[in-house]
Amino acid sequence: MRTYDEALAAARDESTFSNSSQWEAWSAKNCNRCFWDKPARQGDAVNECPLILIALEGKRPAEWLTETEQQEIHADYTCTEFRGEDDPDPEPRPVPTPPGQGELLPREPFEGHRMLTPLQPAATAAASQRGDVR
């Protein structure tokens, strides 16, 4: 899990939930069962999940992905840092390269969280007029 400052720097400047009911429903389904928020639920406010703090500040953490960026209802995020509450090893592990399999490129630069920006309708229309879009 990234630190608060690292996660804040990567967060998108947009509201995460439109009202407190959406937040309550989503956190009950995710945060209330997650390893990273377990200390906060046990009274340790110092070690609470930094992603929750970022969301409560009105930004969307890069770790919270939507099914599509065009989605209107923002209650269906997928948290890439979610780990079960009783998970003995909460750190995510990449799928190892099979024995005897060569690698063309190193994996490290391509691992991590990335946020895609939605297509702009005007730019897409202009590109299709030029013949750039297939």
Side-chain angles (χ1 to χ4, degrees), residues 17-28 31 52 55-56 64 75:
F17 300 99
S18 62
N19 58 45
S20 62
S21 295
Q22 280 187 339
W23 157 249
E24 291 295 330
W26 191 84
S27 67
C31 303
I52 294 173
L56 293 176
W64 291 7

Side-chain angles (χ1 to χ4, degrees), residues 9-131:
R12 181 172 278 179
D13 193 22
E14 66 184 30
S15 180
T16 314
F17 300 99
S18 62
N19 58 45
S20 62
S21 295
Q22 280 187 339
W23 157 249
E24 291 295 330
W26 191 84
S27 67
K29 187 171 70 172
N30 295 281
C31 303
N32 292 353
R33 305 181 304 115
C34 184
F35 173 86
W36 298 113
D37 195 46
K38 188 175 182 177
R41 291 191 308 273
Q42 294 175 342
D44 182 5
V46 174
N47 293 316
E48 59 188 331
C49 178
L51 305 179
I52 294 173
L53 298 175
I54 291 168
L56 293 176
E57 291 176 2
K59 296 186 178 219
R60 180 165 62 119
E63 291 82 357
W64 291 7
L65 306 176
T66 60
E67 190 172 315
T68 66
E69 291 300 321
Q70 307 298 326
Q71 191 171 339
E72 293 296 323
I73 300 172
H74 296 291
D76 292 331
Y77 294 110
T78 300
C79 181
T80 59
E81 290 292 334
F82 177 82
R83 302 293 176 268
E85 190 171 54
D86 298 320
D87 193 346
D89 185 15
E91 288 299 317
R93 304 278 182 242
V95 176
T97 304
Q101 175 71 41
E103 289 187 42
L104 295 175
L105 300 169
R107 295 171 71 169
E108 291 80 21
F110 303 105
E111 293 176 348
H113 301 287
R114 296 182 293 170
M115 291 185 99
L116 304 176
T117 57
L119 288 175
Q120 302 300 326
T124 305
S128 66
Q129 288 175 356
R130 290 190 310 265

